[in-house]
Amino acid sequence: MQFMQLKALPKTVENQIMAIDNLNSTNTALNISLIQLAEQYSLIRHYKPEETIFVEGEHGNTMIVIMQGVVKVLKRGREPDNLQEICKRGPGSFIGEMALIEESSRSATVIAETDCEVLEFSRENFEKVVKEQPKIAFAVLKSTSSKLRESDSIRIAELEENNRLLNTSNEDLIRLNSFLDCIIDQSPSAIFLITHNGDIFRRNETATKMFAIGSSKENVQIDLFFHNFDFQKIRNNQNESWHNEVIGLRNGEQFPVYISIASLSGLSDSTLHLLVCEDISELQMLNRTIIEIEKHESAQQTAIELAHDMKNFLGVFMGNVELVLSRLTPEQTVKSQDSIKAINHSFKEVIAFTENMMFNSSGDIDFSSVDLGGLVRTLIRFYETQARFRDIKFGLHIDKQFPTSIKLKEEHIRCAIVNLLSNAAEAHLQSDKTGEKCVITKLNMLPDKENIEIAISDNGPGIEEKYLSKLFKERFTTKVNGHGIGLPSVARIVQDHEGEITTDSEIDQGTTFIIKLPMRVG
């Protein structure tokens, strides 16, 4: 290799040497002897701004000493094309000496930031310089040591920053877990986190209660809490989510559950699956109640229409009978007296029969054990879901001593409560009264312990006093399309249970219907 000969020491170099002598220990200064040796063993190279001097990763077979200008030292980031500047070097700095000595790859990329003039040494020529001037070796060692200390400082700073970020991330993770815990634990739905093998990894308190799970900390398979439910088969279905109605198990008893399953992190062995379960027992009961109410109302309406038509026909029939009787002579009337009495008696019996059809369209029902609190709760939920009653607040208060099982004619009592709840709710719809609209049902055990009380109250317009005595005896209604048999029907049902019903009403304050029934333990 041929070298550029330095004929004379330029004035600018003299100035640089003076500047180098004033540098601190981190940038080892050149001295006159090194400059003189450069005449024999180095090349002088010039680089323009942004021109690359060294490339990270390439084999290092030369080193440079900066005479003039400033260079940038850069390292690759996480992305190969992303270079991050770690420091700058100026006059008197050794660059590339470690790669040259170790015969290894460049540890960084070096780019000229300004116009630069450098001395470039090959390994062979650098060894010659060291032999002739051992102080150069000491200067290189000093520079290398300084760089190592600087690198350590940078690494320590990076570690401290990474540690700070890690602590921050941990704190954020703790807060996130706490937030998720709060959501999971306070959810009204039963929530399970299931491993890929079907083990319960986590569950909330609702799940524990819904499926009556013990306090054991051992891994439990989710399949144990469902009937004919194959979690592995669903998991292998490769779908992101799955939902369906299944049969849950609680203390050996079955109950309907609507279950939704979603995978939280792909389909690897570390996947967790989220199971959200809803006990739909009450929903199914509500649906059955809706069907029964609609069926009852339909049957009742059919009976009413049939009875109405029969009464019309009877009216025509009796009109013709009276016309015939009016044409009889006194002697014929006397002779037909018995027949006339029989006709009148039969007419009254048919009228009574049609009235009975109107008041009792559900047939004969036997007494059975009824959870009256659960029955009323289900009926109230039925009314709460109806759009026309969305502005009405329905409430239920059950006495702590109220029995959970009473012998009643369930269909008849349901019919009576439906009538009273409907009347109370619809009274609000026909009223211009402002303010909160309420329908409150109370189930009380009376002090004598021998009777129970069902009280249904509203804060609607109330009933005029002149109508109160007629409510349970005559067909009475304020509804546009009402038939007026509701309250007489309720009275007959209460009477059939050997109970009594009373009313308390005040204009603009509301109405309360109170049913008192004998306690028949179920």
Side-chain angles (χ1 to χ4, degrees):
M1 179 184 293
Q2 294 187 0
F3 301 93
M4 180 184 292
Q5 187 69 29
L6 293 179
K7 297 181 179 180
L9 195 61
K11 185 67 175 177
T12 54
V13 175
E14 290 181 357
N15 293 337
Q16 289 294 332
I17 292 173
M18 293 177 63
I20 290 168
D21 287 336
N22 294 325
L23 292 175
N24 59 36
S25 59
T26 58
N27 284 328
T28 305
L30 297 174
N31 54 35
I32 298 299
S33 59
L34 178 58
I35 300 301
Q36 291 173 343
L37 287 172
E39 296 181 359
Q40 302 176 15
Y41 303 114
S42 68
L43 291 173
I44 294 181
R45 294 193 181 278
H46 295 87
Y47 294 94
K48 296 180 180 180
E50 300 305 321
E51 189 173 355
T52 300
I53 302 173
F54 294 148
V55 177
E56 182 178 354
E58 70 178 7
H59 184 69
N61 54 12
T62 62
M63 63 167 281
I64 63 172
V65 180
I66 301 175
M67 299 297 293
Q68 295 184 62
V70 177
V71 300
K72 299 182 290 187
V73 182
L74 306 101
K75 287 188 68 68
R76 294 194 190 101
R78 294 182 179 178
E79 300 295 330
D81 297 333
N82 183 19
L83 293 178
Q84 297 180 350
E85 182 179 316
I86 59 173
C87 65
K88 295 181 180 181
R89 303 293 182 197
S93 297
F94 293 94
I95 306 290
E97 71 277 15
M98 286 187 282
L100 180 69
I101 295 170
E102 296 174 351
E103 294 184 334
S104 60
S105 300
R106 302 291 185 193
S107 61
T109 296
V110 180
I111 299 176
E113 184 172 74
T114 64
D115 289 323
C116 294
E117 182 180 283
V118 303
L119 299 181
E120 182 181 274
F121 293 89
S122 65
R123 179 182 177 83
E124 179 183 358
N125 289 318
F126 180 68
E127 290 176 352
K128 292 178 181 179
V129 171
V130 171
K131 287 179 181 179
E132 293 191 25
Q133 182 56 267
K135 291 183 178 180
I136 299 301
F138 180 76
V140 172
L141 288 174
K142 190 174 181 181
S143 172
T144 302
S145 176
S146 175
K147 289 178 181 178
L148 289 174
R149 284 196 301 271
E150 183 178 354
S151 177
D152 286 343
S153 298
I154 293 174
R155 289 177 181 271
I156 290 172
E158 289 177 347
L159 288 173
E160 289 176 346
E161 178 62 16
N162 289 337
N163 188 52
R164 186 189 67 80
L165 293 175
L166 182 60
N167 288 335
T168 301
S169 297
N170 286 337
E171 291 174 359
D172 291 341
L173 184 60
I174 290 172
R175 284 195 292 269
L176 178 59
N177 284 334
S178 177
F179 178 68
L180 291 176
D181 288 345
C182 183
I183 292 177
I184 292 174
D185 291 340
Q186 295 187 12
S187 171
S189 302
I191 296 179
F192 294 96
L193 288 179
I194 309 299
T195 67
H196 201 57
N197 296 323
D199 292 330
I200 298 177
F201 174 75
R202 173 86 186 276
R203 66 177 185 266
N204 65 355
E205 185 63 24
T206 305
T208 300
K209 293 179 179 178
M210 183 180 295
F211 293 90
I213 303 174
S215 58
S216 174
K217 300 298 183 181
E218 297 179 1
N219 289 341
V220 180
Q221 286 278 319
I222 188 65
D223 292 349
L224 295 177
F225 300 102
F226 296 93
H227 177 66
N228 294 335
F229 176 73
D230 189 347
F231 172 74
Q232 299 298 335
K233 182 178 179 181
I234 295 171
R235 185 204 71 186
N236 295 329
N237 197 25
Q238 304 293 314
N239 289 332
E240 293 182 0
S241 61
W242 182 90
H243 54 88
N244 209 337
E245 183 178 328
V246 299
I247 301 299
L249 298 175
R250 178 172 52 226
N251 294 329
E253 296 183 357
Q254 298 183 358
F255 66 101
V257 179
Y258 191 84
I259 185 172
S260 300
I261 303 177
S263 297
L264 298 182
S265 56
L267 296 171
S268 65
D269 290 340
S270 61
T271 298
L272 286 178
H273 301 272
L274 178 69
L275 275 70
V276 181
C277 306
E278 297 283 351
D279 184 344
I280 57 175
S281 302
E282 289 192 2
L283 179 61
Q284 289 190 348
M285 183 185 297
L286 177 61
N287 289 335
R288 288 195 298 268
T289 300
I290 292 172
I291 293 172
E292 290 170 0
I293 290 173
E294 291 176 346
K295 183 167 59 176
H296 170 78
E297 289 180 346
S298 176
Q300 190 180 50
Q301 187 62 35
T302 300
I304 291 169
E305 292 173 358
L306 178 61
H308 184 268
D309 290 340
M310 288 179 64
K311 289 182 72 173
N312 288 338
F313 287 133
L314 286 171
V316 173
F317 172 75
M318 286 305 298
N320 286 305
V321 169
E322 289 175 358
L323 180 62
V324 171
L325 292 176
S326 67
R327 294 177 178 177
L328 295 177
T329 64
E331 293 79 6
Q332 291 175 326
T333 301
V334 172
K335 291 179 180 180
S336 305
Q337 191 68 35
D338 291 338
S339 297
I340 294 171
K341 288 181 179 180
I343 292 172
N344 287 330
H345 179 72
S346 298
F347 177 74
K348 290 179 180 179
E349 285 188 345
V350 173
I351 290 294
F353 174 74
T354 57
E355 290 288 347
N356 192 56
M357 283 181 61
M358 295 169 70
F359 294 139
N360 298 282
S361 59
S362 56
D364 293 333
I365 298 176
D366 295 330
F367 281 86
S368 62
S369 296
V370 178
D371 176 7
L372 188 56
L375 173 65
V376 174
R377 186 179 292 109
T378 301
L379 292 174
I380 288 175
R381 289 185 180 178
F382 165 71
Y383 283 95
E384 287 176 330
T385 59
Q386 296 191 44
R388 61 186 180 138
F389 297 141
R390 63 178 178 273
D391 295 330
I392 300 174
K393 179 182 178 182
F394 290 86
L396 174 62
H397 303 287
I398 302 178
D399 190 342
K400 292 181 179 180
Q401 297 181 345
F402 196 82
T404 57
S405 180
I406 310 171
K407 282 193 173 181
L408 300 166
K409 292 186 176 182
E410 183 174 357
E411 293 301 322
H412 286 176
I413 286 296
R414 177 186 282 110
C415 175
I417 295 173
V418 165
N419 268 303
L420 296 179
L421 287 174
S422 295
N423 286 344
E426 290 173 356
H428 283 300
L429 299 184
Q430 300 179 52
S431 171
D432 296 331
K433 186 178 176 181
T434 59
E436 186 178 48
K437 302 176 180 179
C438 301
V439 174
I440 306 298
T441 303
K442 295 181 180 180
L443 303 181
N444 299 316
M445 170 68 81
L446 295 181
D448 58 18
K449 306 294 183 183
E450 296 181 356
N451 295 276
I452 63 169
E453 182 182 82
I454 306 169
I456 299 177
S457 304
D458 66 72
N459 61 341
I463 302 172
E464 292 184 47
E465 187 176 358
K466 63 182 179 180
Y467 296 122
L468 292 178
S469 61
K470 303 177 181 180
L471 292 180
F472 305 114
K473 298 176 183 179
E474 301 177 13
R475 293 175 61 179
F476 165 77
T477 182
T478 59
K479 302 174 188 176
V480 176
N481 298 316
H483 46 66
I485 70 164
L487 292 179
S489 176
V490 171
R492 292 199 180 197
I493 290 171
V494 173
Q495 185 180 6
D496 188 38
H497 281 77
E498 299 177 351
E500 60 183 51
I501 183 169
T502 57
T503 309
D504 182 17
S505 185
E506 187 176 346
I507 297 299
D508 292 332
Q509 299 299 315
T511 302
T512 299
F513 287 93
I514 301 172
I515 297 175
K516 180 181 176 181
L517 299 175
M519 250 286 290
R520 295 182 176 91
V521 179

